[in-house]
Amino acid sequence: MRISVQLNDFDIGKELKFFNNDDTNIGAVVSFHGIVRNNCAKSLLHMDIEQYPGMTQKAISKYVEIAVERWSLYDALVIHRHGKLLLGDQIMMVATAARHRRDAFQSAEFLMDYLKSRAPFWKKEVTKDGYQWVKSVLDDESALERWT
Amino acid sequence: MIKVLYFAWVRERVGVPYEIVETQSRTVMELVEELKQKERRYEVAFSDLSAIKVAINQELCEFDTKLSGATEIAFFPPMTGG
């Protein structure tokens, strides 16, 4: 299990290569990564991601532990960046390793749903006219219901 | 004494990232009311509590949660990670 909250970029290929590749029980690895996209007005200059340093690691660990237990994962990886990110930059990645693909897919989705609305990160979109905090959407909150 | 932290637009409205508060309040809500009476900027920050989440000792909680044992309390908008 590895959780990293970092300023720097990450190399998905390298991360997955070292992602518990010596466990012979693993038959499926699912990975997801999110990237900075433009806003609807196509005016995004960059994004600033704020975090609550003491709480981020703790909150992510909590949900990773739940996922490992619920889907019998052999390994899980979460990387989330903070600070200034440019258009096209990688924001975060999640990877899960299980015996079968169904567990790997479901646990990765579960982690993504919880990271979106339970890990203390806040996105700010900066444009030439100023900035605005990204609003949370009701869909993100209701996405959690299917896991309860 | 409790360390009170603010994030994102809550931090911007309050004007500081954190402060140490001496309080007799028993719940989160009482503390919010106490702050709102202190200065206008808190009133602005806490005008719509449905848009604010709260954590005690880095765990999400509710506004009616008791403050006993709290060393750190944080106020912030709904998270937008991922």
Side-chain angles (χ1 to χ4, degrees), chain A residues 50 52 121-123 131 133, chain B residues 8 11-12 72 77 79-80 82:
Chain A
E50 184 171 331
Y52 179 179
F121 292 101
W122 300 275
K123 291 193 187 107
Y131 70 81
W133 291 100
Chain B
R11 168 179 54 73
E12 291 175 337
E72 190 171 302
M79 292 96 142
T80 52

Side-chain angles (χ1 to χ4, degrees), chain A residues 16-79:
Chain A
L16 290 176
K17 193 171 171 197
F18 294 108
F19 184 58
N20 214 348
N21 57 355
D22 54 4
D23 192 323
T24 53
N25 288 304
I26 296 171
V29 169
V30 163
S31 83
F32 169 88
H33 69 281
I35 49 183
V36 179
R37 65 161 173 263
N38 215 336
N39 57 10
C40 296
K42 305 240 180 286
S43 61
L44 187 85
L45 291 179
H46 69 266
M47 197 168 249
D48 272 319
I49 300 184
E50 184 171 331
Q51 61 143 346
Y52 179 179
M55 188 177 165
T56 35
Q57 194 86 18
K58 221 166 150 175
I60 299 171
S61 300
K62 180 178 161 184
Y63 294 109
V64 167
E65 278 166 27
I66 293 172
V68 166
E69 171 83 21
R70 182 162 169 184
W71 285 280
S72 308
L73 300 181
Y74 287 93
D75 206 356
L77 165 72
V78 175
I79 299 175

Side-chain angles (χ1 to χ4, degrees), chain B residues 4 6 9-10 13-14 31-32 35-36 41-49 52 63 75:
Chain B
V4 186
Y6 310 99
W9 59 256
V10 183
R13 289 181 194 177
V14 173
L31 176 64
V32 169
L35 291 169
K36 278 167 85 172
R41 59 195 168 104
Y42 295 102
E43 235 178 281
V44 176
F46 292 109
S47 61
D48 178 11
L49 290 186
I52 294 182
F63 280 90
F75 295 100

